[in-house]
Amino acid sequence: MEQAVSTETVINFTIADADTVNTSFTNNATTGARISITSDNPNLILPSDAATAIGGSAGARTLTIKHQPNITGVANVTVTISDGTNTNTYPFKVTVLPSPSYYWDILAGSAAGTGTFANGTGTSAGFKAPQNMVMDPDGNLIVSDTGNFRIRKVTPQGLVTTLVGSGVDGYNLLSAGGSANVNKADPLQTIIAGMQNCTVAPNRDIYFTDVWTPSTSSNVVRLRATRWDPTANSGAGAYGVTVTVDENPGFLSGMMVTPDNLSLIYYTGTEIRKYNLATRTTTSIAGSSTVSGTADGTGSSALFTGISGISFDSNNDILVNQANNEIRKVTLQGVVTTINPNLTGTSSRANVLPLPNGAYLRSIGNNALQYSANGDSATIAGSTTAGTAVGLNLNATFNVVSGLVAGSGDLIYLLSSTANNIRYSTAYPTLLNPGAQSTNMNTRLAFNSADFSQLGAVANAVDSNNNPLPITLTLSAQYGTLDFNPVQAPSGVTTVTFAPGNRSVTLTGNETAIKTYLLNFGYTPDAGYVNANSSGGALASGAVAPDVLSMSVTTAKNPPKQRSTSRSPMAIPWRQRSRTTPVPAHGSPLAATTRT
């Protein structure tokens, strides 16, 4: 998936000229002075929707382009403006792609949401009120297990061990300097108080903050570090002594170590700051400590509102999750730009996660995940209700999302704090096919469209007179049966040949006739199988076995074009949006922008 919605370069048109006033044009008429639109993809944009897309009157016309829910593909839309004699047409293209599907399983921690302490693998391991999660340079997750007064390591296989912390509650431990009684040469003997968060440097040092009460003052935040030491012989492996970096640096919310290992990046509600680890001094990168807002700019000229999380992208720029439903980008030099405005939902305390396809994932309302690109967004997992359910997309539930981390490929890790577990998922493959895209075991899946280009195999070859050439189409399934409902093949379909067991079918004949016949096509997976990834592997831990539906198309001029098409559970559609664009009066251009 490249992006959610794409359009060609904006087009400009006017609705009147010197001979015809704009009040003379009739919306959706077929003769006379008129404005109308047509679409070449009636599956994506219904004729009934196209017929009523023009609204308004005189110089206050509107153009509203709406696509069907759960439908993906491309539509070439033509706007026609005619005064009855002279006609102008303005073509543009609407592309709708699906947001991905995710199956959310448990990597480690409680399946029931219970807070416990245990090292182990998968659900045999226990966390208690973990607050944040980051990834170390080796691909392991480092978790601030606040309720257990420990810092934990989780491997990609779900093995949980303890790196720092004895488990002793050090919050009310009183001493003059504090650090003498809590820092130990063995990290497993180190005493942690009310831990706020932790992070890992590129050199593998672990930094964490905790809140404690010295005998001479009220609560203070302390910055500490457990040093990476390959020669250490401790129970925590290659980690050694814990030291206090700063007795009272203040809250270092969302702290991240810069690529040079020299500083921490953190945020307040309205400002991005940098803490120098050597000098123990703080400087402002962007924003203001006293003024909130949404202005882009550099340094203090840029403003933020309600920052709820930060993260680095692949360029080491800072991504900011903002409470007013914007995603902002901040360079280390303090240049701030808004990269995803006008999102829906209310951001929660987790960071923004950039995805390989250029989209973004963030938590909203504490318990849900939002997928966004180019200002459009969809809730793809979780809901307003907290829970611990494993499942696909909105069937999965979370309880306070407080961390998102990218693994290898499209693997995503999610920390569900109040559920006391770590979830993981990879994006299900999706089929760019208008219509239904999912089915249960032993349940027939019917195709609602038969556009070869959308199915990934383009024929459309023609002879020297521009007549379409006959084609041979083969559809096959590994663990399912195919059918045509049953419906007799129409004229133009020369042969229909099923293999034994109806595992595959081959059709020959006219491309248009075959497309029409495919509207009756159905696929039923065998018991114990569902549509799944193109390699034939299981979609997720605990998922039933997969199947793959494949298609090849051959024409007289073209060699076979084959695509193994993953039949996955339905992609969550983009939030349907009808964008109404004003049509100007005589002489004024219109930038016709379509968004779905």
Side-chain angles (χ1 to χ4, degrees), residues 168-239:
V168 174
D169 180 356
Y171 181 77
N172 293 313
L173 192 65
L174 303 180
S175 65
S179 60
N181 287 342
V182 294
N183 291 330
K184 308 293 182 181
D186 183 349
L188 297 183
Q189 298 301 313
T190 291
I191 298 173
I192 298 175
M195 183 162 47
Q196 300 297 296
N197 58 1
C198 69
T199 190
V200 181
N203 66 5
R204 296 181 176 81
D205 283 353
I206 296 175
Y207 291 88
F208 63 97
T209 57
D210 60 355
V211 177
W212 71 297
T213 306
S215 59
T216 56
S217 68
S218 57
N219 291 354
V220 296
V221 177
R222 176 174 46 194
L223 174 63
R224 303 165 70 185
T226 299
R227 302 302 187 188
W228 166 259
D229 183 1
T231 66
N233 186 23
S234 69
Y239 278 95

Side-chain angles (χ1 to χ4, degrees), residues 10-72:
V10 295
I11 61 173
N12 299 313
F13 58 86
T14 57
I15 64 170
D17 56 31
D19 300 321
T20 310
V21 296
N22 55 37
T23 54
S24 302
F25 291 85
T26 302
N27 296 336
N28 309 306
T30 57
T31 61
R34 63 193 184 275
I35 307 175
S36 59
I37 75 164
T38 57
S39 163
D40 68 350
N41 187 342
N43 294 301
L44 186 65
I45 300 176
L46 294 183
S48 58
D49 289 331
T52 58
I54 305 296
S57 61
R61 307 296 174 100
T62 58
L63 171 62
T64 303
I65 303 297
K66 181 177 69 175
H67 75 84
Q68 286 297 290
N70 302 334
I71 301 296
T72 62

Side-chain angles (χ1 to χ4, degrees), residues 86-298:
N86 302 305
T87 299
N88 284 327
T89 58
Y90 305 88
F92 59 96
K93 181 170 67 177
V94 176
T95 302
V96 182
L97 303 180
S99 57
S101 291
Y102 291 91
Y103 186 94
W104 293 95
D105 209 336
I106 297 175
L107 177 68
S110 172
T114 306
T116 61
F117 170 75
N119 290 323
T121 301
T123 54
S124 67
F127 302 94
K128 188 176 182 181
Q131 293 303 299
N132 83 302
M133 175 177 70
V134 296
M135 180 169 284
D136 72 11
D138 303 309
N140 302 303
L141 299 172
I142 307 300
V143 180
S144 60
D145 192 4
T146 299
N148 284 318
F149 308 98
R150 292 175 170 95
I151 296 173
R152 317 288 292 283
K153 181 177 80 172
V154 186
T155 69
Q157 295 74 37
L159 174 62
V160 181
T161 55
T162 300
L163 293 181
V164 185
S166 65
V168 174
D169 180 356
Y171 181 77
N172 293 313
L173 192 65
L174 303 180
S175 65
S179 60
N181 287 342
V182 294
N183 291 330
K184 308 293 182 181
D186 183 349
L188 297 183
Q189 298 301 313
T190 291
I191 298 173
I192 298 175
M195 183 162 47
Q196 300 297 296
N197 58 1
C198 69
T199 190
V200 181
N203 66 5
R204 296 181 176 81
D205 283 353
I206 296 175
Y207 291 88
F208 63 97
T209 57
D210 60 355
V211 177
W212 71 297
T213 306
S215 59
T216 56
S217 68
S218 57
N219 291 354
V220 296
V221 177
R222 176 174 46 194
L223 174 63
R224 303 165 70 185
T226 299
R227 302 302 187 188
W228 166 259
D229 183 1
T231 66
N233 186 23
S234 69
Y239 278 95
V241 65
T242 299
V243 299
T244 298
V245 178
D246 195 334
E247 290 286 359
N248 193 7
F251 286 98
L252 301 174
S253 300
M255 63 181 183
M256 310 181 296
V257 184
T258 53
D260 58 10
N261 298 297
L262 299 179
S263 301
L264 299 175
I265 305 298
Y266 70 101
Y267 68 88
T268 66
T270 56
E271 190 176 18
I272 304 296
R273 296 176 175 176
K274 181 168 70 174
Y275 175 89
N276 188 295
L277 290 166
T279 63
R280 297 190 296 179
T281 57
T282 296
T283 56
S284 177
I285 295 178
S288 167
S289 61
T290 58
V291 181
S292 63
T294 60
D296 289 342
T298 301

Side-chain angles (χ1 to χ4, degrees), residues 108-116 126-134 142-148 195-197 348-351 363 366-369 386-388 397-404 413-423:
S110 172
T114 306
T116 61
F127 302 94
K128 188 176 182 181
Q131 293 303 299
N132 83 302
M133 175 177 70
V134 296
I142 307 300
V143 180
S144 60
D145 192 4
T146 299
N148 284 318
M195 183 162 47
Q196 300 297 296
N197 58 1
S348 63
R349 59 179 177 171
N351 55 291
S363 65
N366 285 329
N367 303 319
L369 290 182
T388 60
T397 56
F398 314 114
N399 197 342
V400 183
V401 178
S402 58
L404 293 167
Y413 299 106
L414 177 151
L415 180 64
S416 186
S417 289
T418 307
N420 297 297
N421 60 34
I422 298 170
R423 311 292 288 274

Side-chain angles (χ1 to χ4, degrees), residues 257-462:
V257 184
T258 53
D260 58 10
N261 298 297
L262 299 179
S263 301
L264 299 175
I265 305 298
Y266 70 101
Y267 68 88
T268 66
T270 56
E271 190 176 18
I272 304 296
R273 296 176 175 176
K274 181 168 70 174
Y275 175 89
N276 188 295
L277 290 166
T279 63
R280 297 190 296 179
T281 57
T282 296
T283 56
S284 177
I285 295 178
S288 167
S289 61
T290 58
V291 181
S292 63
T294 60
D296 289 342
T298 301
S300 60
S301 66
L303 298 176
F304 298 94
T305 297
I307 298 172
S308 58
I310 59 175
S311 58
F312 281 128
D313 66 11
S314 59
N315 297 317
N316 291 318
D317 291 327
I318 304 162
L319 296 177
V320 179
N321 194 9
Q322 192 165 277
N324 70 328
N325 298 317
E326 292 182 338
I327 297 174
R328 317 281 293 280
K329 181 173 73 173
V330 185
T331 69
L332 291 176
Q333 293 73 40
V335 179
V336 180
T337 54
T338 299
I339 57 176
N340 232 354
N342 305 317
L343 301 176
T344 59
T346 302
S347 64
S348 63
R349 59 179 177 171
N351 55 291
V352 174
L353 183 66
L355 300 176
N357 62 1
Y360 299 91
L361 200 63
R362 68 173 192 152
S363 65
I364 56 172
N366 285 329
N367 303 319
L369 290 182
Q370 182 185 75
Y371 181 94
S372 64
N374 302 318
D376 283 306
S377 60
T379 299
I380 65 168
S383 69
T384 56
T385 302
T388 60
V390 169
L392 177 69
N393 295 330
L394 299 178
N395 292 320
T397 56
F398 314 114
N399 197 342
V400 183
V401 178
S402 58
L404 293 167
V405 174
S408 61
D410 59 3
L411 180 63
I412 296 173
Y413 299 106
L414 177 151
L415 180 64
S416 186
S417 289
T418 307
N420 297 297
N421 60 34
I422 298 170
R423 311 292 288 274
Y424 75 103
S425 181
T426 56
Y428 275 20
T430 57
L431 177 66
L432 297 183
N433 169 44
Q437 296 186 17
S438 66
T439 185
N440 297 320
M441 291 184 295
N442 293 322
T443 301
R444 184 179 186 271
L445 171 64
F447 278 66
N448 292 344
S449 173
D451 190 323
F452 293 155
S453 64
Q454 290 170 327
L455 289 172
V458 181
N460 300 320
V462 296

